[in-house]
Amino acid sequence: MQPAAPLLLHRHDSLKTLDYSVLQQCMHCGFCLPTCPTYVATGLERNSPRGRIALMRGIADGALPLSKGFGKEMYFCLGCLACMTACPAGVDYAQLFEAARADIERTGVLRRPGRDWTRRLLLGELFTRPRLLRLAGRALWAYQALGLQGLVRAILHLTRVVPESWRRLELQTPKVQPRFSHELIPPILKPAGRPRFRVGLLTGCVQDLVFSNINRDTAEVLAANGCEVWTPPVQFCCGSLHAHNGEPEWARKVARRNLDLFPVAELDAIITNAAGCGSHLKAYGHLLKDDPEYAERAQLWSQKVKDASEWLVAIGFRPPAPGGPSPTGSRERLTYHEACHLCHGQKISREPRELLRALPKVEMVELPEATWCCGSAGIYNITQPEMSRRLQERKVEQVLKTGASIVALGNPGCHLQLVNGLAARGITSIRVEHPMSLLAAAYRAEAAKPASMP
Ligand code: SF4
Ligand code: SF4
């Protein structure tokens, strides 16, 4: 019998092969504990960043087995990275978290037929094949537009033929847009005058189906600020879902496809308006550093990826005229929720606020616990519905304290989580908006009605 071929692991795909100094950085000070939503909820050391790092180190050292319990623990972690912001030692928890989850999937300690099938379908098929994803999106749109969703909901509610968790999940199904990004944005959108910059625009996967209007608004805002915007009509998922769920090879596959789509060297920046995607897109250099064909391009890509707010502030965006019309048609009070992967993952806090403060006739008030995770965290609301719901309710409570009629935020997962959280409480007086949509609306209102009396 032939000996089994050795597993070809990238250095950061396993706790045993990654740079051991990353694990050694933790000095067990505990500064991260009060910032960790799971630790604060349970008070258990194993549910804390410090506890999880200790478990990971035990596995890397071979002192602990990679068990089902460890697998469950790592999937109880939100991956919100609040611990990274708090950590005085600069522990790269994001790298540890992805390596640990990759180990869990490779060893199959959480394997179950239903789980395997769902992961294969979602991560392996739907989110690696953009045309298939759009086809599924069209089907979902038709299902919603024809009113079948209401009928199915009524049947599920009345007959209780499916488990409670499935019914809760069905209620969270996002509303799909009738037109996707490639139908709203031309492949090359030119600004009115001579272009100052040339940028690529990432349209995403969920963002493309559910928030294509935000992609269109982003393209318009970029063009209004002198950017020529290149938007390839068919794009791949950024791969963050794969990387955060222990599938680094699939993450590398879609990263290579995205690198093939954009002329990276010819662009001044590659723009994303989704925090979770941005955080991962900036890590392509790291993800593909062992790939001889793509490493250099991936490095350049990482340097050029910018969140839309980060880019606009860096190039000196044009604020709407202070006396101009409100973007919403009336005076509003607005608050801002900080998506984890924007504030903790990318350290971007000031820029979105700067854009929002520039909106005419909009009063901005700070949200208590603005950087506390809302419980969306990729597919956490599906895998850990109870903890997700607790965080969702906590976020809605904080929003209510501000008296705001708009919550601005820059990530599709948080957007859906807030919309669902508000709907669950029957709150219809608060809208959730992306900063790009508000800025685009302000420019449009200004064009329709030039600055007038206050
Ligand atoms: S990523 Fe978030 S949930 Fe996970 S250990 Fe860090 S702070 Fe806690
Ligand atoms: S703050 Fe950093 S160094 Fe301190 S215990 Fe947490 S992860 Fe370790």
Side-chain angles (χ1 to χ4, degrees):
M1 199 172 117
Q2 294 253 316
L7 270 178
L8 284 176
L9 293 180
H10 289 259
R11 284 197 297 275
H12 42 275
D13 285 356
S14 167
L15 292 169
K16 287 191 173 158
T17 55
L18 61 61
D19 180 356
Y20 192 71
S21 67
V22 183
L23 277 162
Q24 280 177 314
Q25 273 174 313
C26 178
M27 54 194 186
H28 317 294
C29 64
F31 281 139
C32 53
L33 300 187
T35 69
C36 174
T38 53
Y39 175 76
V40 169
T42 67
L44 298 173
E45 177 72 10
R46 70 163 187 275
N47 300 149
S48 77
R50 186 175 65 181
R52 289 176 180 133
I53 293 168
L55 291 174
M56 291 186 223
R57 196 164 169 178
I59 287 162
D61 290 341
L64 288 175
L66 205 153
S67 62
K68 190 173 179 178
F70 176 73
K72 285 188 171 172
E73 183 52 57
M74 287 314 299
Y75 275 93
F76 187 48
C77 169
L78 291 142
C80 68
L81 309 184
C83 47
M84 280 181 66
T85 299
C87 179
V91 172
D92 188 351
Y93 185 84
Q95 205 187 133
L96 297 175
F97 170 76
E98 289 188 3
R101 284 202 175 175
D103 271 339
I104 291 159
E105 295 314 320
R106 197 173 35 257
T107 52
V109 286
L110 295 180
R111 191 160 283 163
R112 271 184 291 112
R115 182 179 188 272
D116 292 355
W117 185 85
T118 314
R119 286 173 63 86
R120 179 78 229 168
L121 179 71
L122 290 180
L123 299 179
E125 300 295 332
L126 221 43
F127 284 92
T128 55
R129 299 166 67 181
R131 286 194 172 84
L132 185 65
L133 186 63
R134 276 189 179 156
L135 197 65
R138 293 260 183 250
L140 190 53
W141 174 81
Y143 164 74
Q144 292 170 338
L146 293 170
L148 295 174
Q149 189 169 33
L151 188 67
V152 169
R153 277 183 187 175
I155 294 169
L156 292 183
H157 183 73
L158 287 174
T159 59
R160 304 203 177 264
V161 284
V162 296
E164 167 67 23
S165 57
W166 286 28
R167 265 182 279 139
R168 222 173 27 221
L169 203 59
E170 203 286 326
L171 286 172
Q172 293 181 24
T173 313
K175 193 158 172 16
V176 175
Q177 293 281 325
R179 293 199 292 163
F180 302 152
S181 304
H182 66 296
E183 296 161 306
L184 300 175
I185 310 168
I188 298 179
L189 176 65
K190 292 197 180 286
R194 191 182 157 80
R196 291 162 63 209
F197 304 98
R198 179 185 289 160
V199 302
L201 177 63
L202 290 149
T203 49
C205 48
V206 174
Q207 188 85 347
D208 179 37
L209 304 188
V210 182
F211 298 115
S212 52
N213 55 323
I214 295 175
N215 283 338
R216 179 208 53 215
D217 295 341
T218 306
E220 283 181 15
V221 167
L222 290 167
N225 282 280
C227 300
E228 181 178 291
V229 187
W230 288 28
T231 313
V234 180
Q235 299 187 22
F236 290 79
C237 163
C238 68
S240 60
L241 271 180
H242 306 91
H244 298 165
N245 286 285
E247 301 292 353
E249 263 322 314
W250 284 336
R252 274 189 273 273
K253 180 178 165 179
V254 289
R256 289 188 195 103
R257 298 291 78 82
N258 277 323
L259 286 169
D260 288 339
L261 276 181
F262 287 87
V264 184
E266 294 171 38
L267 300 171
D268 296 301
I270 299 153
I271 307 296
T272 174
N273 52 23
C277 306
S279 194
H280 178 70
L281 289 158
K282 287 180 177 177
Y284 273 14
H286 176 71
L287 187 72
L288 293 170
K289 71 175 191 287
D290 300 329
D291 184 322
E293 198 187 334
Y294 283 88
E296 202 177 318
R297 229 180 322 157
Q299 198 57 44
L300 188 61
W301 167 282
S302 286
Q303 288 161 15
K304 292 192 174 184
V305 170
K306 305 281 176 224
D307 182 75
S309 65
E310 181 186 17
W311 172 250
L312 286 165
V313 169
I315 64 170
F317 77 103
R318 179 178 74 74
S326 154
T328 62
S330 55
R331 287 188 182 273
E332 303 260 13
R333 176 178 281 198
L334 171 148
T335 196
Y336 175 62
H337 159 69
E338 304 207 42
C340 296
H341 282 255
L342 205 52
C343 65
H344 302 306
Q346 300 179 64
K347 310 292 178 226
I348 296 173
S349 273
R350 176 182 57 85
E351 292 87 341
R353 286 185 168 83
E354 213 168 296
L355 298 180
L356 294 167
R357 285 205 184 95
L359 297 170
K361 300 189 174 64
V362 171
E363 178 202 1
M364 189 172 154
V365 286
E366 283 297 330
L367 177 67
E369 297 185 351
T371 60
W372 198 253
C373 181
C374 66
S376 169
I379 52 173
Y380 193 87
N381 53 352
I382 301 171
T383 57
Q384 303 282 347
E386 186 47 39
M387 184 66 195
S388 173
R389 193 184 50 75
R390 281 168 72 170
L391 291 170
Q392 184 185 46
E393 283 173 3
R394 183 169 174 151
K395 185 60 68 179
V396 170
E397 279 302 324
Q398 300 298 2
V399 169
L400 291 176
K401 281 184 198 163
T402 65
S405 52
I406 301 176
V407 189
L409 49 79
N411 189 52
C414 312
H415 199 132
L416 294 172
Q417 182 82 341
L418 258 290
V419 165
N420 288 332
L422 292 165
R425 295 273 298 264
I427 299 164
T428 53
S429 54
I430 303 175
R431 302 191 309 286
V432 184
E433 299 279 3
H434 194 288
M436 289 302 117
S437 294
L438 292 168
L439 196 51
Y443 287 154
R444 277 183 221 126
E446 200 175 65
K449 183 178 162 205
S452 58
M453 289 159 303

